[in-house]
Amino acid sequence: MISINSLTVAYGGFVLLNDINFHISESDKIGLVGKNGAGKSTILKLICGLQSPTNGKVAVPNDVKIGYLPQIMEHHRGRSVIDEAMTAFAEMFDLEAELEKITVELSEREDYESKEYQDLIVRMNEVNDRLAYTRSDNPQVMAEKTLIGLGFKYEELSRPTETFSQGWNMRIELAKILLSRPDVLLLDEPTNHLDIESIEWLEGYLKDYKGSLVLISHDRKFLDNVTNRTVEIMVGRIHDYKVPYSKYLELRKERLAQQQAAYENQQRMIEKTEEFIERFRYKPTKSNQVQSRVKQLEKLERIEVDIEDRSTLAVKFPPAPRSGDIAYKAVDMRVGYGTKVVFDDAQIEVRRGEKVALVGRNGEGKTTLMRVIMNELDPMAGESKVGHNVCIGYYAQNQEDILDKEDTVFGTLDRVAVGDIRLKLRDILGAFLFKGEDIDKKVAVLSGGERARLAMAKLILKPYNLLALDEPTNHMDIRSKDILKQALKAYDGTLIIVSHDRDFLDGLVDKLYEFRDGKVKEHLGGVQDFLERRKLENLSELERHYKPAAAEKPVEVVQKKEEAKQEYQAKKYVSKEEKKIKNRISFLEKGIEQIETKMAEIEAVLMNPGPDDDIMELTRAYLENKRELDFKMQEWEKLNEQLEQ
């Protein structure tokens, strides 16, 4: 479908991609991997036509529709969330309008044999063919379901897009791309601004997606669950593996070992040949043999070893100055913006040396608390207090974006470094994988991960005893995340971190604060303990609140069904649209009954689990059914409202 042929990308004297070739076929789900700055995002831009190669060609058929989600994008303003998402159907609406216009014109014309009339017939067929592919039965419902799957609450869909953060606006753009049903999806770190629930929803969507997918992600689990092919970029070249990420790691290790063995064998052969040439170079009786071996070496295709970058993020945070026993404390704290309360009655205590994670859905107040800690925002009520002698090193969620794009890597540190540390700037940058000519690069040309590492390097310049890190691993590659995690584990100060990365938090933190439904709840233990406990708690919460609602629903359902029946019986004519709605309602009611039956069965097992029952899997299935039930009930209520109008 899409072919990349002999493609080279160079900047000045630096070759980023060197004569690469690969093909994207239908139903391919490709994980594009490599270290930060290897050229992954560049390949997506080349496929989209947003960037031109130095040499070579990207061949994309004219009828192939591409959906591209970049790491950083401009967001539209002036519309509600749902209205902005509905722009994904603009092509369908335009085609429907054009079809109606053509139909009217044909009905008014009588020049059946004219070229103009025949051209209209041809165009009508073209529009109908395109509509058959793009048309959706219920665009509004599809848009709402997609947005809710990506984490929006139903009541938020009418809010203006500009009232949401960059991360939430990214979700709107992702929803628009998914709703447009492209032939090829190009996603550049789509999970960076998603919470765990939304990541799981997107994972399920992409598993069922029928088109081609090229995905850049530093989430191991996400890559494994979504992709069936891995394309690695290493030192400007690519290596194509027809397997998911975990299997690719095994095959890659084997390939490098075989390559090294072949290289060593060839080097031994070259050494022996050169030794023979040198030994018999001046003996006339051996001249033919010598010349033969010289030509042999000249024609020899030298084996090159892919140099695996084994450099590590050798980060060691400076020893933390001693602070008071309490690093941060909040008592009866209410926080919000204007009249909007984000969370209330928060009781938070972080002691010296603790490593604490702030978790929960996006928009529940994690970043807001960070702003309170940094005195960027005052509480509406209650107390917020930073402990005695606490010096905070803060990594903001958009830290990498607020770097001076015109400054160099070295200049970024040199501008803020004071004292003897200035003599160690090159060593610090080397620890963060900026080596050689890298330190002279402009910030503007750095990848998202490189900017994140540079922003993190700034925290090394001063001995802080509390690190407040808001999504520090966004854009970082897998290797960088692993080493940063080890550095934070070794850090002897206090850590408060916001992250949705389960692998990163596992084994790093010993306490969590969960932000949910306007409250902050303390959880002792690691992230795995929290996830298991949270699912069980969520289940019991659903049982408390869902069952009464379920008892009320049937009455409402029966009543509405009876009213609908009476209304239909009173009508002698039922339009096609009404028939369609009625059939959909009937289908939804059957589905609702089936889901409620499944949930009741799962509840029964969870109330009295056996030794072979997987509680975590049962909980996950229960919550998935609950989400599906909510979607169906929302659609059912909307359709009944349409019938009653």
Side-chain angles (χ1 to χ4, degrees):
M1 184 165 48
I2 296 176
S3 295
I4 294 176
N5 304 311
S6 304
L7 188 141
T8 297
V9 176
Y11 301 102
F14 174 71
V15 178
L16 180 66
L17 302 170
N18 186 18
D19 194 31
I20 66 171
N21 298 274
F22 73 98
H23 184 79
I24 303 171
S25 304
E26 294 183 10
S27 302
D28 268 345
K29 293 185 177 180
I30 300 171
L32 200 57
V33 302
K35 70 174 188 175
N36 288 135
K40 303 186 296 294
S41 296
T42 300
I43 287 179
L44 298 193
K45 291 175 183 176
L46 289 164
I47 295 173
C48 290
L50 299 176
Q51 189 171 327
S52 299
T54 307
N55 291 302
K57 185 180 180 182
V58 179
V60 182
N62 292 330
D63 60 345
V64 170
K65 184 178 182 181
I66 293 176
Y68 171 50
L69 181 77
Q71 281 190 34
I72 303 171
M73 67 193 75
E74 294 292 326
H75 304 297
H76 299 279
R77 304 169 70 88
R79 296 193 187 100
S80 68
V81 172
I82 186 64
D83 287 343
E84 182 61 31
M86 289 293 288
T87 63
F89 302 102
E91 181 186 8
M92 184 187 79
F93 297 146
D94 290 344
L95 288 170
E96 287 178 340
E98 185 181 358
L99 183 61
E100 185 177 352
K101 183 180 178 182
I102 293 173
T103 303
V104 171
E105 187 172 349
L106 286 172
S107 68
E108 294 174 348
R109 298 181 69 134
E110 296 181 355
D111 53 336
Y112 307 122
E113 302 299 326
S114 68
K115 183 178 184 302
E116 290 80 5
Y117 192 93
Q118 296 302 317
D119 288 344
L120 282 173
I121 295 291
V122 171
R123 179 57 186 164
M124 183 175 70
N125 290 332
E126 290 174 349
V127 172
N128 268 317
D129 289 343
R130 187 62 191 167
L131 265 175
Y133 180 75
T134 61
R135 179 171 275 153
S136 299
D137 289 337
N138 200 328
Q140 181 88 8
V141 171
M142 287 181 62
E144 290 175 356
K145 187 173 181 177
T146 302
L147 288 165
I148 291 171
L150 288 170
F152 287 92
K153 297 175 181 177
Y154 189 78
E155 59 269 22
E156 294 176 331
L157 302 186
S158 58
R159 279 176 51 188
T161 59
E162 56 265 30
T163 63
F164 290 88
S165 67
Q166 179 183 351
W168 283 100
N169 273 278
M170 188 279 292
R171 297 185 191 212
I172 299 171
E173 295 300 315
L174 177 57
K176 287 162 60 178
I177 292 169
L178 299 181
L179 289 167
S180 69
R181 296 191 293 184
D183 303 297
V184 181
L185 271 175
L186 308 178
L187 304 181
D188 195 346
E189 295 288 357
T191 65
N192 273 352
H193 299 285
L194 299 182
D195 53 46
I196 292 171
E197 290 180 8
S198 300
I199 290 172
E200 289 177 346
W201 180 89
L202 180 60
E203 189 176 282
Y205 180 94
L206 294 177
K207 281 181 181 178
D208 297 333
Y209 175 63
K210 303 303 182 186
S212 302
L213 168 69
V214 183
L215 169 70
I216 299 173
S217 179
H218 297 136
D219 187 323
R220 293 182 180 90
K221 186 177 180 181
F222 193 71
L223 284 169
D224 264 341
N225 290 340
V226 170
T227 63
N228 56 22
R229 179 180 166 194
T230 304
V231 174
E232 175 195 40
I233 306 174
M234 179 186 283
V235 203
R237 292 178 292 196
I238 69 161
H239 302 281
D240 199 343
Y241 300 82
K242 304 294 193 286
V243 294
Y245 183 78
S246 292
K247 186 64 177 176
Y248 140 77
L249 290 177
E250 298 174 13
L251 296 178
R252 177 178 181 264
K253 186 177 180 181
E254 293 175 6
R255 176 180 66 80
L256 291 175
Q258 292 169 358
Q259 193 180 64
Q260 182 67 35
Y263 171 80
E264 291 173 358
N265 287 334
Q266 188 181 67
Q267 289 301 303
R268 283 193 292 270
M269 184 274 289
I270 292 172
E271 185 180 347
K272 288 181 179 179
T273 303
E274 288 177 340
E275 184 181 324
F276 180 91
I277 293 170
E278 189 62 32
R279 182 178 177 184
F280 298 106
R281 183 184 296 276
Y282 303 108
K283 293 190 176 183
T285 57
K286 299 286 187 178
S287 62
N288 290 338
Q289 294 168 291
V290 168
Q291 289 301 314
S292 174
R293 281 168 171 74
V294 169
K295 291 179 181 179
Q296 182 185 351
L297 286 181
E298 290 174 351
K299 295 178 180 179
L300 183 66
E301 185 175 341
R302 304 291 176 113
I303 296 172
E304 294 184 12
V305 178
D306 293 324
I307 301 173
E308 185 180 8
D309 190 351
R310 296 183 178 274
S311 55
T312 59
L313 198 63
V315 178
K316 185 177 180 181
F317 289 95
R322 187 174 179 83
S323 69
D325 288 340
I326 305 298
Y328 176 75
K329 188 170 185 176
V331 180
D332 302 331
M333 187 170 67
R334 180 188 304 142
V335 174
Y337 302 92
T339 59
K340 176 178 171 56
V341 177
V342 179
F343 59 84
D344 195 8
D345 195 31
Q347 315 291 333
I348 301 170
E349 183 177 282
V350 180
R351 303 186 69 83
R352 182 182 66 239
E354 281 189 324
K355 292 180 171 60
V356 177
L358 311 182
V359 299
R361 294 178 56 186
N362 288 351
E364 293 284 357
K366 303 185 297 295
T367 295
T368 303
L369 176 61
M370 287 294 204
R371 293 190 62 199
V372 172
I373 294 173
M374 296 304 300
N375 287 322
E376 295 178 0
L377 181 68
D378 294 326
M380 301 169 83
E383 179 185 358
S384 171
K385 186 177 180 180
V386 174
H388 174 68
N389 200 36
V390 170
C391 182
I392 305 176
Y394 182 41
Y395 180 100
Q397 192 171 139
N398 65 333
Q399 184 68 51
E400 70 270 17
D401 297 326
I402 62 178
L403 298 170
D404 185 352
K405 307 298 190 297
E406 297 304 312
D407 208 347
T408 64
V409 170
F410 183 85
T412 299
L413 296 196
D414 190 50
R415 200 178 288 274
V416 295
V418 177
D420 293 341
I421 195 73
R422 292 173 59 89
L423 303 174
K424 300 180 181 179
L425 293 185
R426 291 180 181 274
D427 293 336
I428 292 171
L429 288 170
F432 282 89
L433 309 183
F434 294 105
K435 300 177 180 179
E437 297 178 353
D438 290 343
I439 68 172
D440 297 321
K441 287 182 179 178
K442 289 285 186 70
V443 172
V445 305
L446 299 180
S447 69
E450 289 172 321
R451 292 183 191 183
R453 294 206 309 267
L454 181 59
M456 191 64 65
K458 293 172 68 176
L459 295 180
I460 302 292
L461 302 179
K462 187 176 179 181
Y464 300 105
N465 50 26
L466 192 158
L467 292 177
L469 310 181
D470 193 353
E471 298 286 5
T473 63
N474 276 0
H475 310 299
M476 278 193 180
D477 60 35
I478 293 169
R479 181 168 55 92
S480 298
K481 288 198 297 185
D482 287 344
I483 305 302
L484 177 60
K485 177 178 177 177
Q486 295 306 313
L488 290 173
K489 287 175 71 173
Y491 173 58
D492 62 351
T494 308
L495 174 66
I496 301 176
I497 184 169
V498 176
S499 179
H500 64 259
D501 192 322
R502 291 162 291 180
D503 287 335
F504 188 77
L505 293 177
D506 189 24
L508 173 62
V509 300
D510 42 39
K511 186 166 73 175
L512 299 94
Y513 283 97
E514 181 193 15
F515 291 68
R516 195 175 188 93
D517 299 328
K519 300 295 181 182
V520 182
K521 184 176 181 180
E522 182 184 60
H523 295 268
L524 299 177
V527 67
Q528 290 300 329
D529 295 331
F530 161 74
L531 288 172
E532 293 176 11
R533 188 163 55 247
R534 181 69 190 87
K535 287 182 178 180
L536 293 173
E537 287 180 0
N538 190 52
L539 181 61
S540 58
E541 183 180 313
L542 288 172
E543 290 170 347
R544 285 197 307 272
H545 298 296
Y546 178 71
K547 282 184 177 179
E552 297 169 7
K553 287 285 186 185
V555 178
E556 185 182 348
V557 170
V558 171
Q559 184 180 355
K560 289 185 176 180
K561 283 172 68 177
E562 191 60 33
E563 292 173 357
K565 281 181 183 179
Q566 293 173 4
E567 189 176 346
Y568 284 140
Q569 290 170 357
K571 293 180 180 180
K572 294 182 179 180
Y573 174 77
V574 180
S575 70
K576 290 183 179 179
E577 186 62 24
E578 287 174 331
K579 284 182 179 179
K580 185 187 280 186
I581 292 174
K582 185 179 178 182
N583 290 337
R584 180 62 180 168
I585 287 173
S586 179
F587 176 79
L588 286 170
E589 288 172 350
K590 291 178 182 176
I592 289 168
E593 290 178 6
Q594 291 172 355
I595 293 172
E596 288 177 337
T597 301
K598 289 181 184 176
M599 292 177 68
E601 292 172 353
I602 296 173
E603 285 179 19
V605 177
L606 287 168
M607 292 298 182
N608 189 24
D612 298 327
D613 291 323
D614 190 336
I615 302 298
M616 296 295 295
E617 181 61 28
L618 288 168
T619 303
R620 185 193 64 78
Y622 187 97
L623 295 175
E624 285 183 356
N625 278 287
K626 173 61 170 59
R627 283 197 290 269
E628 186 64 25
L629 180 66
D630 290 342
F631 289 139
K632 289 184 182 296
M633 287 300 302
Q634 288 175 15
E635 186 181 354
W636 182 91
E637 291 171 358
K638 281 182 173 294
L639 292 174
N640 273 287
E641 288 173 3
Q642 291 180 35
L643 286 177
E644 292 173 356
Q645 290 175 355

